[in-house]
Amino acid sequence: MLRAVNVGSKSIADYHSIVSRDLMAEIRALAQPLEGKRVLHINATSFGGGVAEILYTLVPLMTDVGLHADWKVMHGKTEFFHVTKTIHNALQGSDHVLTDEERATFERYNLMNVGGLTEAYDYVIVHDAQPAAMRAHAPFEGAKWIWRCHIDLSTPNQDVLEFLLPMIEGYDLSVFHMAQYIPSENSVPEPVIMPPAIDPLAPKNMALSGDDAAYIVDQFGPDVERPLMLQVSRFDPWKDPLGVIDAYRTVKRTVPDLQLVLVGSMATDDPEGWEYFERTVDYADGDGDIYILSNLNNVGAVEVNAFQSHADVVVQKSIREGFGLTVTEGLWKGRPSVAANVGGIPLQIVDGQTGYLVSNSEECADRVTEMLLDPDAARAMARRGKQHVRHNFLTPRLLRDWLGILSRLADD
Ligand code: UDP
């Protein structure tokens, strides 16, 4: 059954010196007529991955501006998360035909979780595919249902897409990071484009001094006086940690002092994560300058922040990427960034302006080497990257966009 997530409280007023006055005024104006409206967010996990990251800030800020916002997480056992991981991969293009048993497992857990919908809401926002089928069985009338898709559906496995689309039909509106991610014309209800954002005041992103960041990094083993290349990502083939190790090995021929840190927490809905973690460790082959860390090493939000604040170059060598919040986080910390030209990354990295876009390990290695050898040029780019994030990818902008969507549906 659905479980409520305790998000504590946050105040939008705390953001006034970080974003523009106009944006703050827009938020106030949009929130006023929505006062008292009940909003429910539903997703599959409260730990690990970008969706949980966003909801920990968005939900309390919605409450702060006058709505009554809740976040509930689906209950699921490993059998369900195996199916949803398969669906997730297939929606991003991997080959798989869902068996009847997998379809039945998916439906069964969705139906079971509907039992947790005991209060009525004005808006229900369902994140990604895992809870998508709940709408069809919802017990209360009158709510507006929004399907928020966090992944790229432009080149999906058709069989799995056809399983998903009928579930989405009954929604009032759907939301995608980018126009290119919408599967095809008229396939989803009223698509709206809204890229995600990071919370500049969360422990993950709050300003850390250089000394404090180095102090934390030092405790995990790397030499803080030597250059450090970083990727923060779940251990997942789409994030290509093995490709990052290849790039590191190439750079190390020119920069022998280089160290690599791979940080990846294991999400509760990602049973494949452990397997891929082992593969990554094997691939590192005992190299003493490669540090592979996870939440098991107590790498929480502040520690991720410290690595991102301290790294000489932040990389994100994904094969596919929904948006790439880790890229946003690195840019916000003013770090030189090299990332794959996929998904939402090019919205953030304007090639040669706010960082470098690359298509393979060799290109990645070339750009990392260039940035390490010319730190002044790299820093100038990184500063522009930070401003780009300030204007486009911080939570107040996301809150404004959500309030816009809710107002629009209220008027329908
Ligand atoms: N993350 C983390 N610890 C880790 C790995 C990831 O805190 O070990 C966070 C990361 O900082 C980011 C989010 O999880 O906020 C990942 O979001 P992203 O959009 O990069 O990828 P996703 O996991 O959603 O595909």
Side-chain angles (χ1 to χ4, degrees), residues 13-212:
D14 292 341
Y15 295 76
H16 81 274
S17 56
I18 300 175
V19 297
S20 74
R21 282 186 191 180
D22 288 351
L23 179 56
M24 297 297 276
E26 259 186 280
I27 290 172
R28 276 194 301 275
L30 282 164
Q32 207 247 334
L34 291 168
E35 195 168 344
K37 295 283 185 200
R38 291 152 303 170
V39 184
L40 172 64
H41 290 265
I42 303 175
N43 84 321
T45 177
S46 59
F47 178 73
V51 180
E53 198 73 29
I54 288 165
L55 292 179
Y56 272 113
T57 294
L58 183 63
V59 173
L61 284 181
M62 279 187 162
T63 299
D64 183 62
V65 299
L67 289 84
H68 174 98
D70 290 332
W71 170 16
K72 292 186 179 175
V73 171
M74 294 179 89
H75 166 74
K77 295 209 169 110
T78 310
E79 54 169 352
F80 175 62
F81 291 128
H82 267 298
V83 175
T84 59
K85 192 72 202 289
T86 302
I87 291 176
H88 181 90
N89 287 340
L91 288 173
Q92 298 200 102
S94 78
D95 243 2
H96 187 82
V97 176
L98 285 176
T99 64
D100 288 346
E101 195 188 334
E102 287 170 329
R103 288 165 195 253
T105 302
F106 184 85
E107 290 286 350
R108 192 168 71 251
Y109 276 92
N110 268 263
L111 193 56
M112 184 202 313
N113 278 284
V114 166
L117 286 178
T118 46
E119 298 161 64
Y121 286 91
D122 298 298
Y123 301 95
V124 183
I125 302 170
V126 171
H127 295 263
D128 280 338
Q130 301 92 329
M134 287 175 66
R135 198 260 168 277
H137 309 289
F140 45 83
E141 298 291 326
K144 301 284 185 185
W145 285 71
I146 302 164
W147 188 57
R148 199 328 174 199
C149 179
H150 293 263
I151 61 172
D152 176 357
L153 293 190
S154 57
T155 50
N157 167 316
Q158 280 302 323
D159 177 71
V160 177
L161 185 68
E162 279 162 27
F163 174 64
L164 176 74
L165 287 182
M167 301 174 204
I168 310 302
E169 256 169 32
Y171 284 74
D172 296 280
L173 189 140
S174 54
V175 181
F176 291 83
H177 291 336
M178 301 168 73
Q180 297 92 298
Y181 286 8
I182 303 169
S184 61
E185 227 178 306
N186 301 327
S187 56
V188 287
E190 271 209 64
V192 170
I193 303 309
M194 180 170 72
I198 59 165
D199 180 359
L201 300 182
K204 168 80 58 70
N205 297 309
M206 67 192 185
L208 276 185
S209 72
D211 284 347
D212 288 345

Side-chain angles (χ1 to χ4, degrees), residues 49-50 53 204 232 234 239 263-265 304 321 324-326 329:
E53 198 73 29
K204 168 80 58 70
V232 176
R234 291 179 289 109
K239 306 290 186 184
V263 176
S265 68
V304 168
E321 190 58 77
L325 286 173
T326 51
E329 291 162 4

